[in-house]
C-alpha cells in the first residue's frame, strides 16, 4: 500500500465523519428525536433547541459548544464532567505546544537525511509508506549529530507536560474546593461510613453500640446512626412488587389506548396466570395486578419488620449535625486496632454498593490482592490473542492463511480499506469485550461506592491497554515478521524491537484516525441509540415509564472513555519524537473529542454520580505514567541507535518521579478527604437532618404507610438535650441501588 492509498483511507474516514455529522444535523432537528439528542436539557426543564428550532443554524451545535463556559458544564453535568474537560484541554495543550516545536524542527531535520535510501529494510512502515519514512527517526543515520535535535525535543515534551499538568492540578483542586464549599446542603457531607463494627456485647443491639460509641466522642454534634442489615429477602419482595406495579402501569396504558382508538368502554386487557402467561386461568389484567400488589404490599411490610428487628450487620452510617464534624470524623483514627471502627467519608446515597459495606477489613485486603493477581493474569493471557490478532490481520498474512479471500481482497477499493483499517478494527472490537469484566473485578474488591469502582476499573483498563495494545502490538507484530531472524540470532531481539518502533507508527496513526473520525462521528450522530429508541417505542413501550427508560441516555462512561483517551496520549507521546507526523492526529483526536463531548455533556448525558473531581488524581497519575513510558522508550531507542550522548536523558525519568511525588504530596490529600477550612463554610440554610437521614433509606425499607409507628420509632432522633429515644432500631441493608 503506497502513501497515496494511506491518504485515500484517511480521506474515507473524514468523509464518514462528515456524513455522520450531517446526519446528526438532520436527525436532531426533528421533534420526535429530541429525547435522543437533548435528554439532559429536557430532564432539566429546558427547551431542547436554544433560540427555537426554526431559527437554528445546522452548525449551531459547534458554536454552542465553543461558547459554553466551564460553569455551563458544571450546571448541566456536574464537577466530574468539568474535570474531564480539564483533562482533555490539558492533553490537547501538551500536544499542541509540543507539536509546534517538533513539527517545525524535527520534520525538516529528518526529511533532509537519507538513511532510508541507504537501508531500505529499516522503514517506518515495513517497506510500504516510503514517504513517511523520510519524516521519522528511521531516516536519521546512526550516531548522526542531527540526533541532538530529537534528544532536545524529548526534554521539551517533558517540560510542557510538567507545566500544564501542574496548572491543571491546581485548577481542579480549586474546582473541588469551591464545589464542597457550596452553601447548598449535600447529604453526604453530614454522614460518615463506619465499617468493621466490633462484636456486640450481650444485651446490647448494634444500634445501641454505635450510638453510645459516637455519642461519647461527639456529644454535641452526633445526630443518629443507621446500622445495616441483611436485606436480601426484603429486596426480593420489593423487586417483585415493583414488577407488578410496572405491569399494572403498562396494562392501564394499553387499556387507555384502546379507549382512545375504539369505543369509550375500550377493551380491558387479560392474561393467563400460568407459566410465562402461556397457560392457566384467563383473568382481567388490571384487577389481577391490583390484587397482587395488595398481597405483596402486606408481605413486604411484614418482612420489613422482621428485617429491622433481627438482621443487623457489622456496618453503619453515622450522621452529624454539621459538616466540620463529619469531615473530621472521616479522617480521624477512632480505634487502637486497624480492623475495628473503620470510618471513611460517606458516598452519595445513589453511589453506595450495599453488598460491599459489611465486608470485613482483612477480607477486603485478601480480595484486593486476589483481584490484582487476576488482572495480571488477564493482561498476560490477553496479550497472546492481541499479539496474534496484530500479526495475522495484515492483508498479506490473511492472504497466506485464507487463500479463498484473494479474489475479494485483491480488488483495489476493498484492498485499500482493509489494509488501512482491518487490524485496527479487530483490535477495537476485541477490546470492547473487556470493560464489564474489569468493573466486576473492581466491585468484588469490596469498594464501597460506584464512583470508586469506576476509578479502579479505569486504572486496570489503562494498564491493560498500554501493556497489550501499545507494547503487545509492537512486540507481536515485530516477532511475527522477524521470527526467523530471532531464531538465527537471539541476541538481535532487543535491537529488532527498538527498530520496530518507527515501523509501527503508521499502524497507530491509522488507529488514532479511526478512533476520532469514525468513533466521534458515531458518538455525535447517536445512530444506534436512535434506532433502538424508535424500535422499543414502536413495539415494546406502552407506559410513560417504559418510554423514558427507552430514551434515558446514561452517563458519559468514564470507566472506558478515560482509559481510551489515556491510550491515545500514551501512543502519541511515545511516537511524538520518533515519528512527529503522529502529533497532528493526536491533536485532532482530542480537539474533536473536546468539541463533540462538550455538546454531549451539555445536551445528552445525565451524570449517575458526583464525586467532585476525585477522578483527577488518577488521570494525573496515568499522564505521568504515559510520560515515564515515553521517556524510557526514548532512552532505550537512543541507546539502540548508538547515540553517544544518550545518558543525558537519564535524569528525565527521575525528574518525572520527583514531579509526581511533589504533586501527590501537595494536592492528593484534599481529594481523599474534605479539608476542614472547606467544610467550615456557612450554609445557605439550616440543614434539615430528617431529609438528610431519609435520603439514605433504601426503597425496599421505605414504609408503604409513612405514619407507621414502627418506622417513626426507628427514625427517632436525638433530642436537643442530648437524650436518646430508644426504640426499634432502624437498620438497613440494600444492594440493588448500586450505581456502576
Amino acid at each position: 500500500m503506497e502513501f497515496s492509498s494511506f491518504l485515500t483511507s484517511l480521506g474515507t474516514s473524514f468523509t464518514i465523519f462528515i456524513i455522520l455529522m450531517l446526519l446528526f444535523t438532520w436527525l436532531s432537528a426533528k421533534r420526535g428525536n429530541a429525547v435522543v439528542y437533548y435528554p439532559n436539557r429536557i430532564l432539566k426543564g429546558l427547551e431542547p433547541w436554544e433560540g427555537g428550532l426554526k431559527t437554528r443554524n445546522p452548525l449551531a451545535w459547534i458554536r454552542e459548544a465553543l461558547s459554553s463556559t466551564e460553569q455551563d458544564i458544571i450546571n448541566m453535568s456536574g464537577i466530574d464532567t468539568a474535570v474531564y474537560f480539564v483533562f482533555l484541554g490539558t492533553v490537547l495543550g501538551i500536544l499542541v505546544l509540543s507539536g509546534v516545536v517538533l513539527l517545525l524542527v524535527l520534520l525538516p531535520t529528518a526529511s533532509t537525511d537519507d538513511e532510508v535510501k541507504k537501508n531500505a529494510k529499516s522503514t517506518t512502515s515495513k517497506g510500504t509508506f516510503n514517504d513517511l519514512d523520510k519524516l521519522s527517526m528511521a531516516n536519521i543515520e546512526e550516531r548522526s549529530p542531527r540526533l541532538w535535535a530529537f534528544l532536545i525535543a524529548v526534554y521539551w515534551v517533558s517540560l510542557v507536560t510538567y507545566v500544564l499538568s501542574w496548572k491543571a492540578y491546581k485548577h481542579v483542586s480549586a474546582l473541588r474546593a469551591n464545589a464542597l464549599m457550596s452553601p447548598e446542603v449535600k447529604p453526604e457531607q453530614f454522614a460518615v461510613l463506619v465499617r468493621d463494627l466490633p462484636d456486640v456485647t450481650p444485651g446490647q443491639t448494634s444500634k445501641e453500640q454505635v450510638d453510645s460509641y459516637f455519642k461519647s466522642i461527639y456529644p454535641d454534634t452526633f445526630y443518629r446512626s443507621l446500622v445495616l442489615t441483611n436485606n436480601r429477602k426484603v429486596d426480593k419482595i420489593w423487586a417483585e412488587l415493583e414488577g407488578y406495579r410496572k405491569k399494572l402501569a403498562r396494562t392501564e396504558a394499553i387499556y387507555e389506548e384502546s379507549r382512545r382508538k375504539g369505543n369509550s368502554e375500550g377493551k380491558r386487557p387479560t392474561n393467563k396466570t400460568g407459566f410465562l402467561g402461556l397457560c392457566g386461568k384467563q383473568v382481567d389484567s388490571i384487577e389481577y395486578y391490583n390484587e397482587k400488589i395488595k398481597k405483596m404490599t402486606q408481605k413486604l411490610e411484614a418482612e420489613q419488620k422482621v428485617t429491622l428487628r433481627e438482621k443487623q450487620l457489622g456496618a453503619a452510617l453515622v450522621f452529624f449535625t454539621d459538616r466540620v464534624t463529619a469531615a473530621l470524623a472521616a479522617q480521624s483514627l477512632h480505634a487502637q486496632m486497624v480492623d475495628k471502627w473503620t470510618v471513611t467519608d460517606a458516598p452519595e446515597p445513589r453511589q453506595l454498593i450495599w453488598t460491599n459495606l459489611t465486608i470485613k477489613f482483612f477480607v477486603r485486603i485478601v480480595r484486593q490482592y486476589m483481584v490484582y493477581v487476576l488482572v495480571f493474569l488477564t493482561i498476560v493471557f490477553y496479550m497472546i490473542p492481541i499479539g496474534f490478532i496484530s500479526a495475522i490481520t495484515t492483508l498479506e498474512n490473511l492472504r497466506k492463511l485464507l487463500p479463498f479471500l484473494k479474489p475479494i481482497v485483491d480488488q483495489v477499493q476493498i484492498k485499500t480499506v482493509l489494509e488501512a483499517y482491518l487490524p485496527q478494527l479487530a483490535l477495537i472490537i476485541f477490546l470492547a469485550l473487556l470493560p464489564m469484566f474489569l468493573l466486576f473485578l473492581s466491585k468484588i474488591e469490596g469498594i464501597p461506592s460506584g464512583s470508586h469502582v469506576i476509578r479502579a476499573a479505569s486504572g486496570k483498563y489503562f494498564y491493560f491497554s498500554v501493556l497489550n495494545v501499545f507494547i503487545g502490538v509492537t512486540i507481536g507484530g515485530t516477532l511475527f515478521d522477524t521470527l526467523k531472524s530471532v531464531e538465527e540470532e537471539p541476541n538481535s531481539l532487543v535491537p529488532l524491537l527498538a527498530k520496530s518502533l518507527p515501523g509501527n507508527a503508521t499502524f497507530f496513526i491509522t488507529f488514532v484516525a479511526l478512533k476520532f473520525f469514525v468513533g466521534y462521528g458515531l458518538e455525535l450522530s447517536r445512530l444506534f441509540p436512535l434506532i433502538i429508541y424508535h424500535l422499543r417505542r414502536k413495539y415494546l413501550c406502552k407506559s410513560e415509564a417504559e418510554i423514558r427508560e427507552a430514551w434515558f441516555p446514561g452517563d458519559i462512561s468514564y470507566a472506558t472513555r478515560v482509559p481510551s483517551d489515556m491510550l491515545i496520549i500514551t501512543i502519541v507521546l511515545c511516537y511524538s519524537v520518533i515519528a512527529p507526523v503522529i502529533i497532528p492526529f493526536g491533536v485532532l483526536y482530542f480537539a474533536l473529542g473536546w468539541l463533540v463531548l462538550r455538546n454531549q455533556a451539555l445536551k445528552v448525558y445525565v451524570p449517575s454520580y458526583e464525586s467532585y473531581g476525585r477522578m483527577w488524581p488518577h488521570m494525573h497519575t496515568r499522564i505521568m505514567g504515559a510520560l515515564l513510558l515515553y521517556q524510557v522508550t526514548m532512552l532505550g531507542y537512543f541507546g539502540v541507535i548508538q547515540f553517544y550522548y544518550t545518558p543525558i536523558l537519564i535524569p528525565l525519568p527521575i525528574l518525572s518521579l520527583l514531579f509526581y511525588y511533589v504533586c501527590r504530596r501537595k494536592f492528593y490529600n484534599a481529594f481523599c478527604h474534605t479539608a476542614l477550612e472547606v467544610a467550615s463554610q456557612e450554609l445557605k440554610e439550616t440543614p434539615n437532618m430528617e431529609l438528610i437521614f431519609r435520603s439514605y433509606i433504601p426503597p425496599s425499607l421505605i414504609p408503604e404507610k409513612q405514619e407507621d409507628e414502627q418506622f417513626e420509632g426507628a427514625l427517632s432522633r436525638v433530642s436537643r438535650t442530648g437524650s436518646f429515644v430508644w426504640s426499634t432500631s432502624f437498620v438497613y441493608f440494600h444492594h440493588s441501588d448500586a450505581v456502576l
Side-chain angles (χ1 to χ4, degrees), residues 15-61:
T15 303
I16 292 172
F17 175 77
I18 294 298
I19 292 171
L20 290 172
M21 188 175 72
L22 293 175
L23 271 175
F24 160 75
T25 303
W26 176 57
L27 293 171
S28 63
K30 297 184 176 297
R31 291 194 179 274
N33 298 335
V35 291
V36 176
Y37 292 101
Y38 306 97
N40 195 8
R41 292 182 60 83
I42 291 172
L43 288 171
K44 286 182 168 56
L46 303 174
E47 282 292 322
W49 301 276
E50 294 181 18
L53 179 59
K54 293 183 179 180
T55 60
R56 185 172 178 79
N57 186 296
L59 298 180
W61 71 273

Side-chain angles (χ1 to χ4, degrees), residues 186-207:
K186 301 179 178 67
E188 63 273 13
Q189 290 188 304
F190 293 85
V192 295
L193 173 62
V194 184
R195 307 168 85 179
D196 308 309
L197 300 184
D199 295 334
V200 180
T201 56
Q204 188 181 39
T205 66
S206 292
K207 179 174 173 59

Side-chain angles (χ1 to χ4, degrees), residues 427-678:
L427 183 60
I428 290 171
I429 293 170
F430 202 69
L431 287 175
L433 305 174
L434 188 68
M436 291 304 296
F437 178 63
L438 295 180
L439 283 169
F440 168 75
L441 288 181
S442 298
K443 185 177 178 181
I444 64 174
E445 286 184 47
I447 293 172
S449 69
S451 63
H452 192 175
V453 164
I454 288 174
R455 294 195 297 273
S458 175
K460 295 176 179 68
Y461 196 24
F462 168 73
Y463 294 121
F464 174 90
S465 299
V466 169
L467 290 171
N468 279 290
V469 179
F470 176 66
I471 298 176
V473 166
T474 301
I475 294 176
T478 303
L479 289 181
F480 193 87
D481 290 336
T482 60
L483 194 57
K484 289 185 178 179
S485 301
V486 173
E487 287 178 356
E488 294 171 1
E489 193 178 347
N491 293 334
S492 66
L493 178 60
V494 173
L496 280 172
L497 290 177
K499 291 179 180 179
S500 75
L501 285 172
N504 285 283
T506 48
F507 174 89
F508 287 117
I509 288 173
T510 314
F511 180 79
V512 174
L514 189 64
K515 292 276 284 184
F516 69 73
F517 276 140
V518 179
Y520 284 130
L522 289 172
E523 172 69 53
L524 180 66
S525 66
R526 288 182 61 77
L527 281 180
F528 295 119
L530 179 69
I531 293 169
I532 291 170
Y533 163 67
H534 282 294
L535 287 175
R536 290 182 65 180
R537 181 172 183 180
K538 184 174 179 63
Y539 297 108
L540 299 176
C541 298
K542 298 298 180 182
S543 66
E544 288 298 322
E546 289 174 335
I547 293 174
R548 184 182 182 279
E549 185 180 341
W551 60 255
F552 192 78
D555 62 16
I556 207 166
S557 301
Y558 296 111
T560 54
R561 196 176 297 279
V562 172
S564 296
D565 294 339
M566 290 295 180
L567 174 61
I568 299 301
I569 186 60
T570 302
I571 291 170
V572 176
L573 278 180
C574 287
Y575 281 96
S576 60
V577 173
I578 294 173
V581 74
I582 200 174
I583 294 176
F585 293 92
V587 170
L588 275 173
Y589 175 87
F590 286 104
L592 199 58
W594 186 95
L595 185 66
V596 170
L597 291 174
R598 206 162 181 90
N599 176 79
Q600 307 300 77
L602 290 168
K603 298 166 185 174
V604 179
Y605 291 122
V606 179
S608 60
Y609 65 84
E610 179 62 79
S611 67
Y612 306 103
R614 292 193 70 171
M615 176 68 92
W616 173 255
H618 298 262
M619 292 175 170
H620 183 265
T621 299
R622 314 300 176 235
I623 293 173
M624 289 297 103
L627 182 67
L628 190 63
L629 180 60
Y630 154 71
Q631 292 166 344
V632 172
T633 299
M634 295 311 303
L635 184 62
Y637 188 74
F638 273 100
V640 168
I641 61 176
Q642 301 176 30
F643 187 53
Y644 290 126
Y645 301 98
T646 299
I648 293 176
L649 293 176
I650 292 176
L652 273 181
I654 300 171
L655 189 61
S656 293
L657 292 173
L658 181 62
F659 175 77
Y660 171 72
Y661 175 78
V662 171
C663 287
R664 190 173 181 86
R665 295 292 295 176
K666 181 177 177 64
F667 299 111
Y668 185 70
N669 284 342
F671 285 84
C672 288
H673 304 290
T674 302
L676 297 184
E677 66 176 4
V678 170

Side-chain angles (χ1 to χ4, degrees), residues 59-108:
L59 298 180
W61 71 273
I62 297 177
R63 175 183 54 79
E64 291 162 2
L66 291 173
S67 62
S68 63
T69 64
E70 187 172 68
Q71 191 58 48
D72 293 331
I73 296 293
I74 293 172
N75 293 340
M76 294 301 294
S77 291
I79 297 295
D80 287 329
T81 306
V83 168
Y84 177 63
F85 282 103
V86 172
F87 160 71
L88 291 180
T90 301
V91 172
L92 182 60
I94 290 170
L95 296 182
V96 169
L97 291 178
S98 299
V100 168
V101 174
L102 270 58
L103 293 172
L104 293 178
V105 175
L106 299 189
L107 289 185

Side-chain angles (χ1 to χ4, degrees), residues 124-308:
T124 301
S125 45
K126 303 182 178 74
T128 53
F129 294 83
N130 294 321
D131 292 325
L132 286 180
D133 299 335
K134 300 175 183 178
L135 303 178
S136 74
M137 287 184 73
N139 199 38
I140 303 295
E141 187 178 357
E142 290 185 358
R143 307 176 188 177
S144 170
R146 293 171 182 254
L147 291 172
W148 271 107
F150 293 86
L151 188 144
I152 294 171
V154 178
Y155 268 90
W156 170 248
V157 174
S158 301
L159 179 63
V160 169
T161 305
Y162 297 147
V163 173
L164 294 187
S165 61
W166 177 269
K167 288 184 176 180
Y169 221 140
K170 288 182 66 176
H171 179 59
V172 173
S173 184
L175 276 179
R176 175 176 168 82
N178 290 336
L180 293 175
M181 285 191 293
S182 168
E184 302 293 332
V185 174
K186 301 179 178 67
E188 63 273 13
Q189 290 188 304
F190 293 85
V192 295
L193 173 62
V194 184
R195 307 168 85 179
D196 308 309
L197 300 184
D199 295 334
V200 180
T201 56
Q204 188 181 39
T205 66
S206 292
K207 179 174 173 59
E208 292 170 346
Q209 178 193 45
V210 173
D211 285 352
S212 61
Y213 183 83
F214 282 93
K215 178 74 166 69
S216 64
I217 300 174
Y218 308 99
D220 299 323
T221 53
F222 172 75
Y223 184 67
R224 74 179 74 158
S225 66
L226 298 176
V227 180
L228 309 188
T229 63
N230 185 340
N231 225 28
R232 295 183 185 277
K233 188 173 180 181
V234 77
D235 282 344
K236 184 178 179 181
I237 297 171
W238 179 81
E240 191 174 350
L241 174 60
E242 288 299 300
Y244 282 124
R245 284 173 173 162
K246 289 180 180 179
K247 289 178 181 179
L248 177 62
R250 178 182 175 85
T251 303
E252 289 176 339
I254 293 172
Y255 178 55
E256 288 299 321
E257 186 178 356
S258 72
R259 293 182 65 182
R260 288 196 306 269
K261 292 182 178 179
N263 54 50
S264 57
E265 295 295 326
K267 181 181 178 181
R268 292 182 69 85
T270 61
N271 66 279
K272 294 182 179 181
T273 59
F275 179 71
L276 296 178
L278 301 175
C279 58
K281 183 181 177 182
Q282 192 88 8
V283 295
D284 182 289
S285 297
I286 295 177
E287 294 178 0
Y288 176 74
Y289 291 134
N290 274 318
E291 184 63 27
K292 280 288 186 181
I293 289 170
K294 183 178 179 181
K295 291 181 179 179
M296 292 304 300
T297 299
Q298 295 172 350
K299 187 176 179 181
L300 177 66
E301 290 173 351
E303 183 58 35
Q304 284 175 338
K305 295 176 181 179
V306 174
T307 301
L308 295 172

